[in-house]
Every structure is written in structure tokens, then in C-alpha cells.
Amino acid sequence: MTTYGYARVSTPTQSLTRQVENLSAYDPAIRIYQEKYSGRVSERPEYVKLKRRVLPGDTIVFDSVSRMSRDAAEGVSDYLSFFERGVNLVFLKEHHIDTDVYREASRKAIDTSVSVGDDIYDRFLATMTDGINTLLRDLATRQIELAFAQSQKEVDDLRERTREGIRVARANGKQIGGVTGRPRVPKKKAPAMATIRKHCKRYGGTLTNEETWRLAGIGRSAFYRYCKEIDEGILYS
């Protein structure tokens, strides 16, 4: 039986360090799968690998339910799929929906074998206890659904706030995004091209090509691409 961890952030600029530290604190021998991918996407490469690799009795640890999925329907489906396969799930920030808790709630909470020796009362008791046990399982399932629904709501709310911010900015006359028909220019491009024109021997400066691209803070391919644009008279300010 192996303990796996899954750490995820949505964008390349976000850090996985905190999640990895939390997972490692849970089990120093944990095997962590990590990636930078949106939680609204189901076919995340590392997550798919992990789902295929785990075996019955293995455990997957998540820092929170949102790391597993930001889509409520997919999250609940994956949770129940893991549960049915005998894979244990642990959520460090939402232990109330760990599979151990769900498994306990799914067991018969009331012993339906109890009998008072009267067929009518025994049938009544069996019907009543089965109903209570079903209710307990449904309540446990509902807790799982609510956890993933909240995870999805956080993303939906963020997107709506972003859209509202854009609407307000546009209403106030601000330009959002690039101007139609105008290519987007990386922030470093204009100053890098200015450095090339000023310092590179190719344009009357004193530095070699490599010295220039290092000074400009760009790579070799970008340097020659910018030189081509300079030669063609394309300048940015």
C-alpha cells in the first residue's frame, strides 16, 4: 500500500511549495504528483497518471478538495470512483469528507438483525432502520457534493468579479486587452530593442551579440528576432 500526494496550481507563475510541504508533513515517504493546470480541466496529465496508477488500499492525499477538482460534478464522480476502487482519499483541510469518514457513514449504523419476535414489529423495525441508514449515507454523500460545489463556486465567483471589473473599466473608458489589429508587445521587448540599438556592434555600439543579449536580459533567439525587426525598421516605444 502506497501513499501518494497530488499538488496542483492553476498557472505557471504560482508556487507549489506550500502544498508540497503540507503533503510531505503528512507522510515523509509520500510520492507526490504535481502540476500547473486548471482544476476545471479533467484531463490533467499528472492527475490522469495518478488515477491510473493507484491500487486498492493505496491513499491519495490532497491539500484541499479544490486541488482535486474545481468542477463539482467531476469531483464527486472521481471521489466515488476512487471509493469504489478501494482507494483512500485524505483532504488535509476538509477531513470531514475523507473516505474513512464516508466509509463509516456508509456502514449500517443500526443493526437490522435486531428482532423482538413479532413479525409485524420486526418488519416495521427493519423498514425504519433501513430508512435511517439510507439517510445517513445520503447525508454523507451530500457533504462531499457540497465541498466540491463550494470549490467550483470560488472559481465561478472569481471569474464573475473579473468580468464585472472589465465591464466597469470599459464603461470608464479604459482600454482592456490589446487594440484590434495591433500586435501585442512583450513588456521587455521595447527596452531590449533599445539596448540592442544602443550597445550592439551591429548598430555602432561596443558589445558583441552575446554581450548585448545578456545585457538586455533576453535569449539568443529573441536577440536575432529583434535584430531582424530593427533591420526592417520595426521599432517599439
Side-chain angles (χ1 to χ4, degrees):
M1 297 181 183
T2 305
T3 300
Y4 296 98
Y6 179 73
R8 180 192 64 76
V9 290
S10 300
T11 66
T13 57
Q14 292 176 298
S15 173
L16 288 158
T17 302
R18 178 186 56 79
Q19 292 181 53
V20 171
E21 289 176 349
N22 292 344
L23 296 173
S24 298
Y26 177 85
D27 183 352
I30 197 169
R31 300 181 183 179
I32 300 176
Y33 283 70
Q34 52 185 291
E35 62 189 335
K36 298 188 176 185
Y37 232 92
S38 170
R40 298 297 292 268
V41 177
S42 59
E43 294 301 306
R44 287 165 267 147
E46 294 302 307
Y47 184 55
V48 169
K49 289 179 187 177
L50 178 57
K51 287 199 290 186
R52 290 173 179 169
R53 181 165 188 174
V54 288
L55 300 172
D58 288 346
T59 298
I60 306 176
V61 185
F62 301 86
D63 188 55
S64 69
V65 68
S66 64
R67 301 306 89 197
M68 180 175 173
S69 179
R70 284 289 196 179
D71 182 276
E74 180 206 20
V76 172
S77 176
D78 279 359
Y79 183 106
L80 296 176
S81 176
F82 281 127
F83 179 79
E84 291 166 2
R85 289 170 56 190
V87 176
N88 302 308
L89 301 178
V90 174
F91 301 91
L92 299 181
K93 293 181 180 176
E94 299 100 352
H95 278 303
H96 65 284
I97 62 166
D98 289 356
T99 47
D100 280 349
V101 177
Y102 181 70
R103 187 174 291 107
E104 186 63 30
S106 298
R107 290 185 181 131
K108 290 290 185 181
I110 300 176
D111 187 358
T112 57
S113 66
V114 174
S115 174
V116 297
D118 184 291
D119 287 346
I120 295 177
Y121 283 112
D122 286 348
R123 287 198 299 272
F124 172 75
L125 182 60
T127 300
M128 186 173 174
T129 53
D130 282 346
I132 293 174
N133 290 328
T134 298
L135 175 62
L136 290 172
R137 289 193 297 274
D138 288 347
L139 287 173
T141 302
R142 182 58 178 158
Q143 289 297 311
I144 297 167
E145 293 172 344
L146 287 172
F148 282 103
Q150 179 60 32
S151 177
Q152 177 176 328
K153 183 177 183 300
E154 290 171 0
V155 173
D156 292 342
D157 287 349
L158 176 60
R159 288 180 174 177
E160 181 55 34
R161 288 195 298 271
T162 301
R163 286 194 291 266
E164 181 62 26
I166 291 173
R167 285 195 292 269
V168 171
R170 284 177 172 162
N172 292 328
K174 294 183 179 180
Q175 174 65 41
I176 305 297
V179 178
T180 302
R182 182 185 300 173
R184 294 192 59 168
V185 181
K187 290 183 179 180
K188 287 186 176 181
K189 188 168 187 176
M193 291 179 73
T195 298
I196 293 170
R197 292 198 307 271
K198 181 178 180 180
H199 296 286
C200 188
K201 289 181 178 179
R202 180 169 179 165
Y203 302 105
T206 60
L207 301 181
T208 65
N209 289 350
E210 183 175 355
E211 289 171 337
T212 304
W213 76 59
R214 289 184 182 278
L215 177 64
I218 59 177
R220 182 177 185 276
S221 59
F223 170 80
Y224 285 107
R225 186 168 63 252
Y226 294 170
C227 284
K228 183 175 184 295
E229 294 187 19
I230 292 172
D231 294 341
E232 292 174 351
I234 302 175
L235 304 177
Y236 300 92
S237 59

